[in-house]
């Protein structure tokens, strides 16, 4: 996602992809963090329907809500919940921007609308690619360069697309299938370099993807050497360090190639990382949830160990990513998990189960590190109230999970080391319970599905709503607990979530953690003797 706020580029959003032979349970998996300081985190829903011939529909830009124009409505549309549909088709994205002169401001379809239109009109990943490319060919593409993750229970594709400039309808694009035994990722930088020109089963592209680059002067070599990324999104420092570094972190965790690829991230090599790699072990859905919480912990890019982490070792940095001191420019690392996430998902798609049961859209709001992924079955046709559009990005509401999770996270951020353990304990408890219950819930739904499909779908919808609401309620109680426990910079004593009182009914004395020793040493180094307590003269 890219939100325009008067700056040329915003490094947002991360997608991880796992092929069905690379996952522990045989599912295809894709994840997405929709990162933006202007996005309200909610669960979208589009109902299935049959539409009369000739019906037109309005298109509004997903980022700005600006009216773009009208397009033809499809005769039949499918149920969409979040970024998945009733056939388990799931789509995520990251914006890489690319060459700014290729944005067609006159186009009618933006990248966000492409996602939700394709989900309403597609029964497979390949069909979604056809829908998306047909729409931009007919109506024009008005967004910047975009990478899309497009998946169903059988296949995962990365499609990269960019417009042709003002008034030039259509887009140039290429889509590559990720092998079943591989993992892949993209994070705001184009990742498709050379691609097979004669493998229609695993690669699709616009007929002019190379010739247009030649026409614009972006490429002059032979066709087999053509690189989509080099032509349409030349690498710069930010793309390498803020964006590709997140892909590196994923590869570093699940392959043995982290050290091999690190020089590319550090600017010591220009050899790009592969589009996809084989993991060194099977990857679970929970693994991907945890990966969405990554801050480069334990790697050379770890941001929780230096002075910028503050006294409580925060793995976050305030924006903007770069800053200037004494005329020199510096930067902060940009990890996967970040403050400004609107919503995040990990989509689990399974071919061995009926679509209604096989597709689980694990959904959370706000920063994945401080959130909980709750199960949303792809047949769900009713939005949990706490995930609906209650209030907005500047209107707090206690019934909104987006605001409750932000409230809790923003208590934790300033005193991270002190408070994150309490948050993680509840996060793990809730997610472990959902994981443990999954088989029994799905077995019951499968039995019911044999005789009454509608009843099975209602059961899973009700379960989805119950999980979301119970998590919302638990998180609000967590916030109340944290406020009491850590109020005023001290720690009130508790055991198993109950604050301790003496026999007279009074609270135990508070603990005063103060600042960590290493911070105090730096504090004295910076302030000298200003706060030194003078020695008392000896008494006779």
């Amino acid at each position: 996602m890219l939100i325009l706020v008067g700056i040329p580029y915003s490094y947002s959003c991360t997608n991880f992809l796992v092929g069905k032979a690379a996952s522990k349970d045989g599912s295809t998996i894709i994840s997405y963090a929709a990162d933006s300081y202007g996005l309200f985190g909610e669960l979208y829903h589009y109902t299935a329907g049959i539409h009369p011939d000739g019906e037109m529909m309005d298109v509004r830009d997903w980022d700005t809500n600006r009216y773009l124009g009208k397009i033809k409505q499809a005769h039949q549309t499918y149920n969409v919940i979040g970024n998945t549909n009733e056939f388990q088709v799931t789509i995520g994205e990251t914006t890489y921007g690319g060459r700014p002169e290729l944005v067609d401001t006159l186009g009618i379809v933006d990248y966000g609308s492409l996602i939700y239109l394709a989900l309403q009109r597609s029964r497979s990943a390949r069909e979604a690619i056809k829908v998306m490319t047909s729409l931009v060919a007919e109506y024009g593409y008005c967004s910047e360069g975009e990478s899309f993750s497009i998946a169903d229970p059988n296949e995962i594709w990365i499609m990269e697309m960019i417009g042709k400039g003002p008034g030039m309808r259509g887009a140039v694009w290429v889509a590559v299938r990720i092998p079943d035994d591989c993992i892949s990722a993209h994070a705001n930088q184009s990742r498709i370099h050379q691609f097979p020109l004669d493998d229609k089963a695993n690669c699709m592209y616009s007929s002019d993807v190379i010739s247009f680059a030649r026409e614009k002067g972006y490429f002059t070599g032979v066709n087999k050497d053509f690189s989509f990324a080099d032509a349409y999104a030349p690498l710069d420092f930010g793309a390498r360090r803020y964006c590709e570094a997140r892909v590196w972190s994923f590869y570093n965790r699940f392959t043995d190639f982290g050290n091999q690829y690190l020089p590319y991230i550090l600017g010591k090599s220009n050899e790009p990382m592969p589009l996809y790699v084989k993991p060194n072990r099977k990857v679970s859905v929970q693994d991907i949830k945890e990966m969405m919480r990554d801050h480069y912990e334990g790697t050379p890019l770890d941001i929780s160990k230096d002075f910028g982490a503050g006294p409580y070792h925060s793995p976050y940095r305030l924006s903007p990513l770069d800053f200037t001191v004494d005329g020199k420019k510096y930067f902060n690392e940009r990890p996967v998990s970040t403050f400004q996430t609107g919503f995040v998902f990990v989509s689990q798609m399974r071919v061995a189960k009926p679509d209604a049961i096989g597709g689980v859209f694990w959904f959370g709001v706000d920063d994945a590190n401080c959130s909980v992924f709750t199960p949303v079955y792809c047949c769900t046709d009713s939005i949990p109230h706490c995930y609906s559009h209650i209030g907005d990005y500047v209107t707090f509401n206690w019934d909104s999970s987006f605001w409750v999770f932000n409230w809790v996270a923003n208590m934790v951020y300033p005193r991270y080391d002190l408070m994150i353990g309490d948050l993680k304990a509840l996060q793990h408890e809730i997610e472990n319970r959902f994981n443990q219950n999954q088989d029994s819930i799905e077995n019951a739904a499968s039995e019911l599905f044999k005789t009454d499909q509608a009843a099975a779908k209602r059961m899973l919808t009700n379960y989805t709503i119950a999980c979301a609401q119970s998590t919302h309620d638990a998180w609000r109680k967590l916030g109340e607990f944290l406020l009491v426990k850590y109020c005023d910079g001290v720690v009130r004593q508790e055991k198993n979530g109950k604050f301790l009182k003496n026999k007279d009914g009074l609270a135990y004395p508070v603990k005063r953690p103060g600042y960590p020793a290493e911070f105090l040493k730096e504090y004295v180094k910076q302030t000298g003797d200003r706060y030194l307590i003078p020695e008392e003269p000896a008494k006779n």
Side-chain angles (χ1 to χ4, degrees), residues 49 84 117 150 155 163 221 248 304 324 366 452 478 482 503 520:
T84 194
L117 288 168
I150 306 170
E155 299 181 345
W248 171 82
S304 66
T324 301
D366 194 35
D452 192 338
L478 171 65
L482 294 176
K503 60 183 178 64
L520 291 176

Side-chain angles (χ1 to χ4, degrees), residues 47-69:
T47 58
I50 300 295
H51 307 278
D53 292 342
E55 181 179 336
M56 303 294 287
M57 63 173 293
D58 292 341
V59 177
R60 289 186 173 276
D61 184 89
W62 186 43
D63 286 341
T64 66
N65 201 39
R66 178 172 63 93
Y67 175 74
L68 298 176

Side-chain angles (χ1 to χ4, degrees), residues 357 377 434 437-446 459-460 463:
I357 302 167
Y377 281 85
F434 291 152
N437 291 344
Q438 187 173 0
D439 282 346
S440 60
I441 292 295
E442 291 177 359
N443 288 339
S446 295
M459 171 190 165
L460 292 173
Y463 180 68

Side-chain angles (χ1 to χ4, degrees), residues 157-383:
W157 293 74
I158 290 179
M159 180 172 72
E160 297 197 328
M161 175 183 291
I162 195 166
K164 297 181 179 182
M168 296 189 67
R169 182 159 294 184
V172 288
W173 58 273
V174 59
V176 175
R177 183 184 175 190
I178 305 305
D180 293 342
D181 60 351
C182 289
I183 61 174
S184 185
H186 53 92
N188 304 117
Q189 171 56 22
S190 173
R191 300 216 56 246
I192 298 178
H193 287 270
Q194 284 79 23
F195 52 91
L197 301 174
D198 56 358
D199 183 3
K200 295 182 179 179
N202 297 296
C203 182
M204 298 179 274
Y205 51 91
S206 59
S207 61
D208 60 349
V209 67
I210 299 177
S211 61
F212 182 75
R214 290 187 189 279
E215 176 187 327
K216 301 293 288 186
Y218 304 151
F219 177 68
T220 59
V222 296
N223 283 0
K224 68 180 181 62
D225 295 330
F226 177 74
S227 164
F228 185 94
D230 291 345
Y232 294 113
L235 191 72
D236 60 15
F237 174 83
R240 186 194 298 263
R241 194 60 178 255
Y242 302 148
C243 306
E244 290 281 73
R246 284 174 272 154
V247 176
W248 171 82
S249 191
F250 184 49
Y251 285 0
N252 182 61
R253 185 176 297 195
F254 293 106
T255 79
D256 299 321
F257 307 129
N259 289 336
Q260 178 181 329
Y261 300 149
L262 184 58
Y264 168 70
I265 301 305
L266 299 179
K268 299 177 181 180
S269 167
N270 290 322
E271 181 65 28
M273 295 178 292
L275 178 62
Y276 49 80
V277 292
K278 291 184 179 181
N280 56 16
R281 60 192 182 277
K282 298 286 188 178
V283 181
S284 71
V285 172
Q286 190 63 36
D287 286 336
I288 299 302
K289 294 175 189 175
E290 297 302 333
M291 189 66 221
M292 296 303 290
R293 295 167 171 143
D294 181 67
H295 303 101
Y296 303 124
E297 287 90 347
T299 79
L301 305 188
D302 192 337
I303 60 176
S304 66
K305 306 301 182 185
D306 60 34
F307 182 72
Y312 299 111
H313 305 108
S314 172
Y316 298 88
R317 296 293 183 273
L318 298 179
S319 62
L321 289 172
D322 58 61
F323 57 95
T324 301
V325 176
D326 296 332
K328 294 182 179 180
K329 294 198 71 173
Y330 298 84
F331 73 97
N332 286 312
E333 305 287 1
R334 198 300 197 183
V336 174
S337 177
T338 183
F339 295 121
Q340 72 268 24
T341 305
F343 65 84
V344 59
F345 72 71
V346 175
S347 186
Q348 177 185 20
M349 297 151 280
R350 293 166 291 176
V351 73
K353 295 177 180 289
D355 287 324
I357 302 167
V360 188
F361 186 75
W362 298 91
F363 181 78
V365 290
D366 194 35
D367 173 11
N369 185 48
C370 297
S371 190
V372 173
F373 290 93
T374 71
V376 177
Y377 281 85
C378 71
C379 63
T380 299
D381 60 4
S382 181
I383 304 173

Side-chain angles (χ1 to χ4, degrees), residues 143-163:
S143 294
E144 294 177 283
E146 197 76 24
S147 299
F148 297 96
S149 298
I150 306 170
D152 62 31
N154 284 300
E155 299 181 345
I156 296 177
W157 293 74
I158 290 179
M159 180 172 72
E160 297 197 328
M161 175 183 291
I162 195 166

